C-alpha cells in the first residue's frame, strides 16, 4: 500500500542537502515553495532541478523570459502550483512563446497565481490563460493579484478566474 502524500511547505528555497534528507525520511514527499513571501529568481532554484519531480509548487519571478530563465523550468513539469511575477516590459515574443510552451506542457498544474502580469504584451494575460487551461481535462484556477478586465481572459470550460485574491497554494487548498 502506498504511503499518503506528504507535502512539506518551505518559506525559503531549501538547500540540496535539506531536500535529500527530507526525501530519505519521506521518499514520497512533495516540496512546496509556492507560498514564500518573496518570489525567487529562477537561478535561485536551479539547484533543485534534479528534484523537479518532487516539487509541487514554486514562487518565481521572470524577467525577460529568455532561454536562460525558461530552460530550468522544464525540470518542473510536475508542478501543481505556480506563483509567478513578470518584471520586465522588454520580453521578446519568441521568448514569451517559449514560456507559454512550457506552461502548456505543465500537465499537472492546477493553480496559477499571477502576482505581476506580463507587461510586454497587451494580450499576455489572454495568452497565458489559453496555454494554462486549454489542454487541461480538469478544472484549473487562475488567481490574478490585481483586478483585470475579464474580457482579457477567454472563457474556457476548465478555467476559473479569481481577481484580486491571494490564496495558499497547497494540496489541502485544492
Amino acid at each position: 500500500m502506498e504511503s499518503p502524500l506528504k507535502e512539506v511547505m518551505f518559506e525559503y528555497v531549501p538547500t540540496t542537502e535539506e531536500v535529500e534528507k527530507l526525501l530519505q525520511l519521506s521518499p514520497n514527499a512533495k516540496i512546496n515553495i509556492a507560498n514564500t513571501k518573496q518570489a525567487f529568481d529562477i537561478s535561485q532554484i536551479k539547484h533543485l532541478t534534479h528534484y523537479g519531480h518532487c516539487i509541487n509548487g514554486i514562487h518565481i519571478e521572470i524577467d525577460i523570459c529568455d532561454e536562460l530563465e525558461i530552460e530550468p523550468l522544464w525540470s518542473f513539469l510536475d508542478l501543481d502550483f505556480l506563483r509567478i511575477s513578470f518584471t520586465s516590459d522588454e520580453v521578446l515574443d519568441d521568448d514569451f512563446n517559449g514560456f507559454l510552451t512550457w506552461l502548456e506542457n505543465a500537465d499537472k498544474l492546477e493553480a496559477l497565481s499571477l502576482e505581476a502580469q506580463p507587461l510586454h504584451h497587451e494580450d499576455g494575460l489572454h495568452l497565458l490563460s489559453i496555454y494554462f487551461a486549454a489542454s487541461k481535462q480538469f478544472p484549473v484556477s487562475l488567481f490574478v493579484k490585481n483586478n483585470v478586465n475579464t474580457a482579457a481572459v477567454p472563457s474556457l470550460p476548465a478555467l476559473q478566474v479569481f481577481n484580486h485574491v491571494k490564496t495558499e497554494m497547497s494540496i489541502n487548498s485544492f
Side-chain angles (χ1 to χ4, degrees), residues 49-83:
T49 56
H50 180 70
Y51 305 100
H53 63 284
C54 302
I55 297 175
N56 72 334
I58 58 175
H59 184 182
I60 58 171
E61 84 181 3
I62 298 284
D63 184 25
I64 57 172
C65 271
D66 65 358
E67 188 176 335
L68 290 174
E69 285 185 310
I70 302 307
E71 191 268 325
L73 286 177
W74 286 97
S75 297
F76 299 102
L77 286 176
D78 289 334
L79 291 178
D80 295 315
F81 315 109
L82 174 62
R83 193 177 302 272

Side-chain angles (χ1 to χ4, degrees), residues 3 19 21 23 70 78 94 99-100 106 115 157-158 168 173:
S3 62
V19 171
K21 185 175 181 179
L23 294 176
I70 302 307
D78 289 334
D94 285 347
F99 173 76
L100 293 175
E115 304 294 298
E168 180 180 280
S173 299

